[in-house]
Amino acid sequence: MPDPAPRTRLAPSPTGALHLGNARTFLVNWALARKRGWRILLRVEDLDTPRTREGAAEQAIDDLRYLGLDWDEGPAYQSPLLGTEGPYAAALRRLRDAGHTYPCPATRRDLEAASAPHEGDPHELRYPNLWRPPAPPLPAGVPLAERLIVPPGGVAFVDAVAGPRAFDVGGTVGDFLLWTKAGLPSYQLAVVVDDARQGVTHVVRGNDLLPSTSRQVLLYQRLGLGPPPAWFHLPLVRGEDGRRLAKRHGDTRLASYREAGVPGERVVALLARWSGMPAELAGEAMTAAAFAHAFELRDLPADDVTFTREDHAWLTDAAT
Ligand code: GLU
């Protein structure tokens, strides 16, 4: 069989404004696609409804355009596909019918009482498979989530940037959520269903999602979806305190630089330096097309980069 046409996706979550760290990942994703001839789909991941903010999808699209990025298809939104006839519900039924899932009434409090944070991510609790069959009868009239039965052992994959990896899904997160009590697909399920049905062959994203990749590989297997995409997990941008770039590091939102009159090309020039290009090449301003032309994946620094006060001053200097 011929290889499927290569295709990637830009997948912003409209839960907040894109910051400089997101911007670097999107720029590298776009540049790889344009250099290597992958089609680009813009997919807005708007299922995380409690956290999704009004107007944030439009803002994310404006932010991508501000950087000079474009796409061949989309925007495609996830939320219209909710509902029993949609692809997420169909995938859940398939897993359920094959005996890979079970309903779970556990509350957050039950989980906190029974679990310990795991080493990889102190914010994530390992679900101790409380309701994995054989389990006591389900309580009546309580909302139910649905979980995947996770086999023991590591789930391996080879990442084009991070190298060969394997995460012990069962040992770190346990039987993870497929469907929430609120009746929504989990991120893990939705992303796999969409990548598969949209023919995504190349996934480029931040390396904070490396552990999730093993969960997604497992779902590809359980759903019989064929080989998963090629993975490219990029190092992150951190603040001077070493923590992942976030609100606490001041206003690093693209929208703020845009509103302050900083040209998008100035931001791209900073991202170019963060992507391993010499300062002379990145210059004072760089178009996304020039970035794509000069970018080489092998030059991308293997370590996380630090956003400094000087970087902020250099960016805003251009606006005055
Ligand atoms: N929408 C996710 C995010 O913004 C990306 C998920 C993915 O690339 O798989 O973090």
Side-chain angles (χ1 to χ4, degrees):
M1 240 193 352
D3 285 342
R7 171 190 278 251
T8 190
R9 60 347 186 247
L10 304 175
S13 291
T15 50
L18 302 185
H19 58 60
L20 290 169
N22 306 125
R24 193 184 66 152
T25 306
F26 285 123
L27 180 65
V28 169
N29 191 355
W30 181 86
L32 282 170
R34 289 293 177 242
K35 278 183 103 76
R36 300 184 181 191
W38 310 339
R39 275 183 82 74
I40 302 177
L41 166 70
L42 175 64
R43 182 170 80 215
V44 177
E45 302 207 322
D46 59 347
L47 290 185
D48 194 358
T49 39
R51 295 175 56 230
T52 298
R53 285 194 308 104
E54 186 71 29
E58 293 72 20
Q59 193 182 70
I61 293 172
D62 289 347
D63 289 345
L64 295 173
R65 290 200 196 286
Y66 167 63
L67 294 173
L69 310 191
D70 61 359
W71 40 90
D72 308 306
E73 287 168 50
Y77 292 80
Q78 293 180 315
S79 55
L81 305 172
L82 293 171
T84 51
E85 298 308 312
Y88 313 121
L92 179 72
R93 279 195 298 273
R94 191 131 49 95
L95 291 168
R96 187 190 290 154
D97 292 348
H100 294 312
T101 77
Y102 60 89
C104 173
T107 61
R108 180 91 201 159
R109 197 180 301 161
D110 296 337
L111 296 188
E112 280 165 2
S115 338
H118 72 74
E119 283 169 24
D121 182 348
H123 302 296
E124 194 161 38
L125 296 174
R126 177 180 179 277
Y127 171 71
N129 303 351
L130 290 174
W131 291 87
R132 187 196 270 203
L138 289 170
V142 299
L144 296 172
E146 193 136 350
R147 292 179 178 273
L148 184 78
I149 298 176
V150 174
V155 182
F157 59 95
V158 177
D159 189 276
V161 178
R165 295 291 172 119
F167 293 89
D168 176 2
V169 180
T172 51
V173 290
D175 292 345
F176 59 86
L177 270 186
L178 296 170
W179 209 261
T180 70
K181 288 185 180 179
L184 293 171
S186 66
Y187 155 69
Q188 308 292 350
L189 182 65
V191 81
V192 166
V193 167
D194 280 347
D195 283 341
R197 73 187 181 84
Q198 293 167 338
V200 170
T201 55
H202 294 77
V203 168
V204 182
R205 56 190 182 188
N207 69 14
D208 50 329
L209 287 169
L210 269 171
S212 283
T213 305
S214 283
R215 288 169 238 175
Q216 293 166 21
V217 169
L218 190 58
L219 282 174
Y220 268 83
Q221 293 167 359
R222 290 294 186 256
L223 284 162
L225 293 173
W231 311 102
F232 296 68
H233 285 90
L234 310 182
L236 301 180
V237 178
R238 297 190 179 271
E240 286 180 311
D241 58 0
R243 293 164 78 188
R244 202 192 300 168
L245 206 59
K247 281 212 186 85
R248 68 179 90 89
H249 298 110
D251 197 350
T252 72
R253 291 176 305 139
L254 289 183
S256 316
Y257 292 114
R258 178 154 47 93
E259 281 153 23
V262 176
E265 289 82 15
R266 183 84 168 172
V267 177
V268 171
L270 175 65
L271 303 177
R273 282 197 266 128
W274 285 351
S275 304
M277 280 182 212
E280 317 81 74
L281 184 59
E284 299 289 308
M286 188 177 218
T287 63
F291 176 91
H293 186 71
F295 177 72
E296 292 294 345
L297 186 59
R298 61 171 180 270
D299 295 337
L300 189 79
D303 293 328
D304 292 347
V305 291
T306 305
F307 174 62
T308 63
R309 250 162 289 197
E310 292 75 45
D311 291 331
H312 177 76
W314 184 82
L315 278 181
T316 45
D317 204 31
T320 52

